Amino acid sequence: MLACAIAFADCGPAEFRGFGTGESESEALASARASLAPQVYSSIKVSSKHTQTQRVSGGKEDLNTRYTSRIEEESSLLNAHDARILRLERIDGEYKATVCMSRANAAKGFATRLRPVADSLEFSANAVIEAKHPKLKSEAWQKAQPLWNEFARLQSIIEGLDKEQAAPFEAVSALYAKARDGYLSYCQTAKLHWSPETEDVYSGLAFLKLSKNLKLEKSVCKGGGISLAYKNTGHKCEYAGIFKCSHKPSLLLASCSGEEYRILESPNIDSFQKREEVALERLHEKLGDEIFWNEWEREIKQWRPQCE
């Protein structure tokens, strides 16, 4: 009869109730506190919509997967000591415990976890808004994404438990929304513009190689775009018993306003043939086969806006 009374001891109407048994008081309490986790999870599952609706447009990560897989573990680890002990008795050689936890106390542990995440997200969101340099802006955006995913997940949990404790974090959520909208707007104009100094066989070959995996625009550079200017180095042929023809690849990365960011260069490409026209043909073939194009592509990708 007493065991039954403990098992069905009442917590408050807005409290979670945990029951556990063990060979010691601490074991019974640990079991009772652990049993709160599934209740916390089931009570806030509906709030996952908050996480879904605030994902970045075009994002592919389903936050609900992470939300579902980690909520039970975290709810059992965070501030379990805040559970109020309702009953703790030894019956027939076994300890039985009943604990109660308010929704506000359940939210408190998650709020403690969220505060440093919110601080980091605020810093990163401001960096996205304030950065003018394209590479730094994209880097700031990439750093903000995992922080936002964690922030949105925890904020959703807290809101599902206690809206009052979620309210102080709304300002950070709004700041991220501003950074997100600004960055996606930036992406509309931040394109790679092909702007060679001279249209010749060398700039044409460079465009052919780089446009295989990069979306290059043959248009006037504008907005937050990047100008890719293949330099007019032409070729040089010299004769000393045999023709030596050479070309030095060079590509300037600059802003649409003319600010120079980076010059990509490669050592001279040389060809040696008895006839000059054959030497030039061989030079063009060698230029197309060089591995530095892959290195250039990787570097350009770091300047391209990461908008997906």
Side-chain angles (χ1 to χ4, degrees):
M1 199 58 188
L2 183 55
C4 184
I6 293 176
F8 291 97
D10 290 331
C11 293
E15 290 184 314
F16 300 106
R17 174 187 170 280
F19 176 74
T21 61
E23 294 181 358
S24 64
E25 291 185 356
S26 59
E27 189 177 303
L29 284 172
S31 175
R33 288 163 176 162
S35 71
L36 293 169
Q39 300 173 56
V40 174
Y41 166 64
S42 62
S43 73
I44 61 179
K45 191 173 183 179
V46 293
S47 69
S48 63
K49 180 180 178 182
H50 174 85
T51 305
Q52 286 182 308
T53 57
Q54 295 200 47
R55 285 187 298 170
V56 177
S57 176
K60 298 178 181 178
E61 181 182 12
D62 184 359
L63 297 179
N64 280 330
T65 301
R66 296 178 60 204
Y67 172 93
T68 302
S69 65
R70 293 177 59 185
I71 176 61
E72 290 193 49
E73 176 188 355
E74 292 195 351
S75 64
S76 65
L77 295 177
L78 296 176
N79 72 313
H81 59 276
D82 285 337
R84 176 170 57 88
I85 300 175
L86 183 65
R87 294 281 181 88
L88 178 58
E89 297 187 21
R90 187 169 184 270
I91 300 175
D92 298 329
E94 184 179 49
Y95 287 92
K96 301 179 185 295
T98 303
V99 299
C100 306
M101 176 174 272
S102 68
R103 298 183 71 85
N105 273 337
K108 188 188 302 180
F110 292 105
T112 299
R113 173 73 177 271
L114 181 55
R115 286 187 189 99
V117 177
D119 290 342
S120 297
L121 178 61
E122 182 178 8
F123 179 84
S124 294
N126 278 321
V128 173
I129 294 171
E130 296 170 5
K132 304 301 180 185
H133 191 287
K135 195 172 183 178
L136 295 179
K137 197 174 191 73
S138 290
E139 288 176 354
W141 175 248
Q142 293 305 308
K143 290 179 181 178
Q145 294 315 290
L147 289 170
W148 165 251
N149 293 341
E150 183 72 355
F151 175 90
R153 187 179 63 84
L154 290 171
Q155 186 187 33
S156 175
I157 294 170
I158 298 167
E159 188 174 76
L161 292 168
D162 185 359
K163 290 184 180 298
E164 288 188 7
Q165 291 191 58
F169 297 104
E170 287 299 326
V172 177
S173 181
L175 179 65
Y176 172 80
K178 179 181 177 182
R180 175 199 61 201
D181 293 344
Y183 189 81
L184 294 180
S185 176
Y186 161 76
C187 285
Q188 301 302 311
T189 61
K191 300 178 181 180
L192 299 174
H193 298 271
W194 185 250
S195 308
E197 286 187 346
T198 301
E199 292 284 359
D200 60 13
V201 64
Y202 302 105
S203 64
L205 193 150
F207 178 81
L208 182 66
K209 297 294 292 185
L210 294 174
S211 63
K212 283 185 177 180
N213 298 312
L214 295 171
K215 186 176 181 180
L216 305 183
E217 303 278 338
K218 285 189 174 182
S219 57
V220 177
C221 193
K222 61 182 180 180
I226 300 293
S227 170
L228 304 179
Y230 197 77
K231 308 300 286 184
N232 182 26
T233 62
H235 65 260
K236 181 179 180 181
C237 290
E238 298 175 328
Y239 181 76
I242 192 172
F243 281 99
K244 173 188 175 182
C245 292
S246 62
H247 171 75
K248 182 171 179 57
S250 180
L251 182 71
L252 172 65
L253 280 67
S255 70
C256 293
S257 61
E259 181 183 357
E260 297 185 359
Y261 294 135
R262 177 83 188 273
I263 292 182
L264 304 180
E265 294 182 306
S266 168
N268 282 342
I269 309 301
D270 301 316
S271 69
F272 302 86
Q273 296 291 332
K274 292 181 179 180
R275 295 166 53 195
E276 184 175 6
E277 60 269 27
V278 177
L280 282 174
E281 289 178 5
R282 179 57 183 150
L283 176 63
H284 301 159
E285 292 174 1
K286 285 188 65 178
L287 181 61
D289 292 335
E290 288 293 321
I291 62 172
F292 74 83
W293 297 113
N294 296 328
E295 298 170 2
W296 283 18
E297 180 184 316
R298 286 193 292 270
E299 176 64 23
I300 294 170
K301 283 181 177 178
Q302 294 182 43
W303 293 81
R304 179 186 61 182
Q306 304 298 310
C307 300
E308 295 181 357

